[in-house]
């Protein structure tokens, strides 16, 4: 079976700096895959390349059989990649429910005119969207706060809402950029359960960037370690974490 | 479905306020209390309110600062006046003529909004504000300089005066503008159009399109990442806003017989005046725009008796409203002791304890 995501020889330079150099990865459907590395290793740049924020200088990205290299962010989202952000990016002056409904935008279409005139299709579609959004919020135990402005949610719940919003676009692959950043050990433990649950419940493939080694060791089945933009080591989590090269990159000589 | 009803109720209250204001004004008029001067303020009040609602769609909902909306009013005013003046003496029914004039003014403002939007919406923040300001001034200055007329040899357009050959008419006479627009605007029509503008903007905000527009305002990068087509929705908001401002322009030009593209009516100071209404009414608060326009438009007119102190008092009122609306301390005070907090407390006190637990199920 072909991998869900295959990335071949991906490279990008900013000025003279080769931020990502010959990055390769194959992720099977249903995998929980980790991308780790010291600060500045180019992890988030890889995410930005995968989601079309940056166009790669070299290399190709396949989602299933489809070549998505060079597509726009919107097209890539519609092809089936959704993401969260390292520094949370919610629609902060919109309600929790509306945040998810923006995620549902492309799956429940009706015209602007139908919205202005409040045609029957408006009420029908909005009702379906409300139901779908609440169903998603329920999974993350946010349904009780659907009316709250998202900026007023506590930090941990904001992280969850961002995942819920990403899932609303019905992706095949979910990219999580440091989901545990700023969380205490309790919250991180809860987050690990949530991520596992998302994978099983939605039959999702997940690629995540993380610094929290407890989380990485706890839930990722396989890892790629980046250092200075290139792949240092790739393989099963337990083996990668024992690799002396990796330990050296993290802890120094 | 509690949310739907709550939002719908909010929208209905807005329409209600406008309708009540309309009825009160009509009753005062019947009772003979309204002076000629005050009656003359009612239509301008409506078109400024319409322009404020339109601008709020761009500033409050889309989150982009436009300082060129007087330009769109100008296009709406001139295109519709041109149409009305041409048809005035042809025996065309006045009602239908004005209806068509409204459509034409709206259409041309929308067209220019769309065309100007293509380059302008690529910019952000201050840059966008400055470029829209420039476009507004360009529109006003071109319309103040253009000569447009017809004679036996056909249509003529030029940037300097020209003689007409035989039978003909100068439609736009340079800085003298358009003379003899029929005064079709009435308070009733203006209120109907204000309600229509509110209906359009409020329904957009509650729709899928509105959510897409607001998501761009709140976080453009995240909006793109969940598949929102940024350009499409920015253009939609900007074009609709320009169109509505154009309709306000039609009301303006059909309220007086002489239409000139001067700074007093269409300069950037007018754009800023409308922006003041939007900001003081609350950015993104559609109802607030209407109320702020009513207060701030009527106030200086009411203070005419104080002559020299008029603008001083106006300025002080501006500052006070601004503080009440936006100062952090005032916001905290409002949240604690304001009307909605009072109502919420009362509701809580009235609700029997046994109902509290099941409260969530009903929502």
């Amino acid at each position: 079976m072909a991998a869900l995501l295959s990335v071949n020889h991906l490279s990008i330079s900013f000025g003279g700096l080769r931020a990502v150099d010959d990055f390769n990865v194959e992720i099977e459907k249903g995998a929980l895959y980790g991308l780790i590395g010291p600060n500045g290793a180019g992890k988030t740049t890889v995410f930005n390349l995968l989601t079309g924020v940056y166009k790669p200088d070299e290399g190709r990205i396949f989602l299933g059989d489809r070549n998505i290299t060079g597509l726009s962010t919107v097209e890539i989202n519609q092809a089936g990649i959704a993401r969260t952000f390292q520094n949370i990016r919610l629609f902060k002056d919109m309600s929790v429910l509306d945040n998810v409904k923006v995620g549902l935008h492309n799956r429940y279409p009706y015209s602007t005119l139908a919205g202005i005139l409040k045609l029957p299709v408006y009420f029908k579609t909005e009702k379906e969207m409300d139901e779908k959004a609440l169903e998603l919020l329920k999974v993350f135990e946010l349904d009780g706060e659907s009316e709250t402005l998202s900026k007023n949610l506590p930090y941990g719940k904001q992280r969850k809402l961002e995942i819920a919003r990403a899932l609303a676009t019905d992706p095949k692959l979910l990219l999580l950029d440091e989901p545990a950043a700023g969380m205490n050990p309790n919250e991180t433990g809860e987050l690990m359960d949530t991520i596992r649950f998302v994978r099983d419940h939605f039959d999702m493939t997940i690629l995540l960037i993380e610094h929290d080694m407890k989380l990485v060791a706890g839930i990722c089945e396989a890892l790629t370690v980046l250092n200075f933009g290139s792949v240092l080591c790739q393989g099963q989590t337990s083996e990668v974490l024992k690799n002396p090269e990796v330990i050296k990159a993290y802890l120094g000589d | 479905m509690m949310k739907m009803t709550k939002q719908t109720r909010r929208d209905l209250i807005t329409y209600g306020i406008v309708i009540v204001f309309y009825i009160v004004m009509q009753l005062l008029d019947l009772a003979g209390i309204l002076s000629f001067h005050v009656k003359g303020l009612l239509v301008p009040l409506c078109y400024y309110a319409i322009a404020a609602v339109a601008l709020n769609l761009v500033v409050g909902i889309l989150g982009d600062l436009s300082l060129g909306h007087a330009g769109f009013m100008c296009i709406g005013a001139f295109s519709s006046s041109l149409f009305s003046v041409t048809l005035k003496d042809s025996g065309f029914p006045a009602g239908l003529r004005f209806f068509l004039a409204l459509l034409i003014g709206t259409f041309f403002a929308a067209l220019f909004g769309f065309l100007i939007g293509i380059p302008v919406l690529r910019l952000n923040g201050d840059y966008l504000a400055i470029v829209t300001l420039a476009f507004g001034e360009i529109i006003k200055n071109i319309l103040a300089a253009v000569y447009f007329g017809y004679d036996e040899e056909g249509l003529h357009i030029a940037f300097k005066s020209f003689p007409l050959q035989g039978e003909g008419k100068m439609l736009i006479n340079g800085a003298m503008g358009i003379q003899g627009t029929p005064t079709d605007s009435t308070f009733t029509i203006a209120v109907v159009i204000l309600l229509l503008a509110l209906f359009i903007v409020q329904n957009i905000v509650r729709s899928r399109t509105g959510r897409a527009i607001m998501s761009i305002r709140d976080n453009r990068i995240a909006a793109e990442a969940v598949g929102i087509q940024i350009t499409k929705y920015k253009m939609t908001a900007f074009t609709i806003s320009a169109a509505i401002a154009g309709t306000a322009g039609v009301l303006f030009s059909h309220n007086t017989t002489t239409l000139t593209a001067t700074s007093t009516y269409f300069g950037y100071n007018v754009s800023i005046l409308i922006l003041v209404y939007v900001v003081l009414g609350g950015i993104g608060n559609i109802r607030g725009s209407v109320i702020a326009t009513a207060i701030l438009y009527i106030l200086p007119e009411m203070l005419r008796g104080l002559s020299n102190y008029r603008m001083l008092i106006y300025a002080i009122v501006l500052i006070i409203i601004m503080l009440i609306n936006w100062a952090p301390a005032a916001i905290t005070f409002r949240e604690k002791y304001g009307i909605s907090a009072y109502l919420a407390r009362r509701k809580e006190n009235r609700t029997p304890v046994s109902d509290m637990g099941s409260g969530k199920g009903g929502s």
Side-chain angles (χ1 to χ4, degrees), chain A residues 26-75:
Chain A
E26 299 259 316
I27 299 176
E28 299 297 324
K29 189 175 181 326
L32 231 168
Y33 200 100
L35 180 60
I36 65 171
N39 286 329
K43 306 182 295 293
T44 298
T45 308
V46 168
F47 268 28
N48 284 336
L49 285 167
L50 292 179
T51 54
V53 177
Y54 303 140
K55 307 273 178 271
D57 296 338
E58 287 159 46
R60 292 199 292 178
I61 307 163
F62 286 88
L63 187 67
D65 297 331
R66 187 169 168 205
N67 185 353
I68 58 165
T69 322
L71 296 185
S72 73
T73 305
V74 171
E75 287 166 333

Side-chain angles (χ1 to χ4, degrees), chain A residues 210-245:
Chain A
E210 192 47 73
H211 276 303
D212 189 316
M213 281 305 146
K214 193 169 135 258
L215 185 141
V216 171
I219 63 172
C220 293
E221 291 140 2
L223 293 178
T224 290
V225 187
L226 271 183
N227 197 20
F228 298 116
S230 23
V231 176
L232 186 70
C233 171
Q234 215 159 26
Q236 296 296 315
T237 303
S238 50
E239 284 159 29
V240 169
L241 291 181
K242 274 185 282 187
N243 187 319
E245 287 280 324

Side-chain angles (χ1 to χ4, degrees), chain B residues 61-352:
Chain B
I61 309 300
L62 177 61
D64 275 335
L65 186 54
S66 162
L67 292 178
H69 266 53
F72 298 126
M73 280 181 81
C74 194
I75 286 172
F78 272 78
S79 56
S80 62
S81 260
L82 208 55
F83 171 79
S84 295
V85 166
T86 315
L87 276 193
K88 195 168 71 163
D89 301 320
S90 66
F92 203 76
L96 182 61
R97 184 190 64 211
F98 188 45
F99 179 71
L100 290 175
L102 283 165
L103 292 185
I104 286 170
T106 309
F107 170 77
F108 276 99
L111 180 68
F112 275 81
F114 181 80
L115 293 176
I116 292 172
I118 294 170
V120 159
L121 292 177
R122 289 168 192 279
L123 303 168
N124 283 320
D126 306 345
Y127 303 102
L128 187 132
I130 289 164
V131 176
T132 50
L133 186 145
F135 268 110
E137 289 298 293
I138 290 170
I139 290 167
K140 182 204 78 188
N141 287 326
I142 287 178
L143 285 171
V146 78
Y147 291 82
F148 180 65
Y150 64 89
D151 57 22
E152 282 165 359
E153 289 178 3
L155 288 170
H156 300 281
I157 186 160
F159 280 107
K160 59 179 188 189
S161 192
F162 52 84
L164 294 171
Q165 309 295 328
E167 195 72 355
K169 195 175 168 190
M170 205 58 139
L171 293 172
I172 305 178
N173 198 0
M176 308 270 285
I178 299 179
Q179 303 284 336
T181 309
T183 49
D184 290 329
S185 295
T186 64
F187 182 41
T188 308
I189 293 173
V191 165
V192 169
I193 293 171
L194 173 57
L195 287 171
L196 213 58
L198 285 168
F199 180 81
I200 291 170
V201 174
Q202 294 197 134
N203 284 0
I204 286 178
V205 173
R206 305 280 179 245
S207 77
R208 169 179 179 271
T209 308
R211 280 193 300 271
I213 294 169
M214 290 187 286
S215 74
I216 297 170
R217 169 196 70 191
D218 280 359
N219 202 309
R220 188 198 155 105
I221 292 171
E224 231 172 346
V226 293
I228 303 295
Q229 290 150 304
I230 307 287
T231 313
K232 176 182 163 187
Y233 286 103
K234 278 189 141 191
M235 290 297 286
T236 305
F238 199 72
T239 307
I240 291 173
S241 175
I244 297 173
T247 322
V250 180
L251 286 172
F252 176 94
S253 69
H254 288 71
N255 196 40
T256 53
T257 50
T258 310
L259 175 67
T260 52
T262 56
S263 298
T264 326
Y265 301 124
F266 299 114
Y268 65 87
N269 46 338
V270 175
S271 296
I272 288 171
L273 184 77
I274 300 167
L275 182 67
V276 167
Y277 298 153
V278 171
V279 173
L280 291 187
I283 291 173
N285 181 346
I286 309 294
R287 186 200 298 166
S289 297
V290 178
I291 296 172
T293 310
I295 294 171
L296 294 174
Y297 185 72
I298 298 288
L299 184 75
E301 299 294 335
M302 294 290 107
L303 295 174
R304 277 200 185 278
L306 296 167
S307 58
N308 288 342
Y309 297 107
R310 186 166 80 101
M311 289 326 280
L312 179 67
I313 295 175
Y314 180 74
I316 291 171
V317 169
L318 280 186
I319 293 168
I320 291 172
I321 296 182
M322 196 62 159
L323 288 176
I324 290 176
N325 263 349
W326 296 109
I331 291 172
T332 320
F333 182 84
R334 235 189 359 248
E335 275 167 4
K336 266 187 183 163
Y337 306 107
I339 296 171
S340 50
Y342 171 74
L343 289 177
R345 266 204 307 280
R346 234 178 51 162
K347 201 169 158 192
E348 227 165 76
N349 290 342
R350 260 193 321 201
T351 317

Side-chain angles (χ1 to χ4, degrees), chain A residues 140-169:
Chain A
F140 294 93
E141 291 162 352
L142 287 165
D143 51 321
E145 282 149 305
S146 63
E147 300 304 314
T148 313
L149 288 186
S150 65
K151 67 177 173 191
N152 293 335
L153 282 181
Y155 187 82
K157 287 184 175 178
Q158 292 196 5
R159 286 259 174 227
K160 283 184 175 176
L161 177 57
E162 225 192 0
I163 299 176
R165 185 183 67 189
L167 288 173
T169 64

